Amino acid sequence: NARPKKRYLSPATLRSVDALYYSAFRTQVERAGTTYFPMEKGQKLYGELVMEVWLNRQGKVVDAIVLQSSGNALLDKRARAIVMQAGPFGAVPAEVSAGNDLLLISSRFRFTRDAGMEATTTQSRPSPTP
C-alpha cells in the first residue's frame, strides 16, 4: 500500500488530454535541449536515446532513466541533466494522472545537426518506481 500508483503515458494510451500535456512537456524539453545542447570540448554531441521521465502530480521530475543509450555515455548524462533541469512541467491534470501519484513519459530524444533536439513519445516497458 505504501508504493506510489503510476500511470504510463505512451502512444497506445494517448488521449486528447494526454496529448496536450505531452505536447507541452515535449516543447519545454526541446527548448531546453536546443538551448543547452550537449557539448564536449566545444564540440556538439549528436545522437539518439530513449529515456523514461517520471513526474509527480505537480509536474516535477522525480527521475529520468536512460533505457536505450545513444552509445555515448556523456551524451546520455547530459540529456538526463537537460530533462531534470527542464522541469517542472506544470501540474499534471487530474484527467491525465487518473488518480495516480506518478506519471511516466517514455520519450525518444534526438540531438541532430538540423533540428537541435527533438522529442517523440515511445512505447515503454514498465520499470521499477524510482
Side-chain angles (χ1 to χ4, degrees):
N1 286 340
R3 297 181 104 170
K5 294 181 194 174
K6 329 174 257 285
R7 171 146 191 260
Y8 300 94
L9 203 62
S10 73
T13 63
L14 281 180
R15 302 168 299 182
S16 60
V17 68
D18 299 335
L20 286 172
Y21 190 79
Y22 178 77
S23 179
F25 165 86
R26 184 187 73 230
T27 299
Q28 198 166 326
V29 169
E30 287 177 346
R31 188 175 302 127
T34 299
T35 302
Y36 303 105
F37 204 92
M39 297 182 75
E40 179 182 31
K41 298 178 184 172
Q43 299 294 313
K44 290 185 176 183
L45 300 173
Y46 300 107
E48 180 177 311
L49 59 127
V50 175
M51 190 181 310
E52 287 181 345
V53 181
W54 293 84
L55 304 176
N56 65 17
R57 287 184 186 172
Q58 293 74 41
K60 181 181 181 288
V61 178
V62 174
D63 202 359
I65 302 164
V66 175
L67 293 179
Q68 182 181 349
S69 173
S70 66
N72 180 327
L74 185 57
L75 176 59
D76 294 350
K77 180 179 176 181
R78 299 265 167 87
R80 183 179 183 280
I82 286 168
V83 170
M84 296 294 289
Q85 294 172 348
F89 296 96
V92 178
E95 306 83 40
V96 175
S97 68
N100 295 293
D101 302 312
L102 296 173
L103 179 67
L104 164 69
I105 299 175
S106 182
S107 206
R108 179 173 308 278
F109 299 108
R110 290 183 188 97
F111 294 90
T112 67
R113 290 178 182 6
D114 299 330
M117 182 197 186
E118 301 171 331
T120 55
T121 187
T122 66
Q123 278 299 119
S124 174
R125 60 156 179 78
S127 67
T129 301

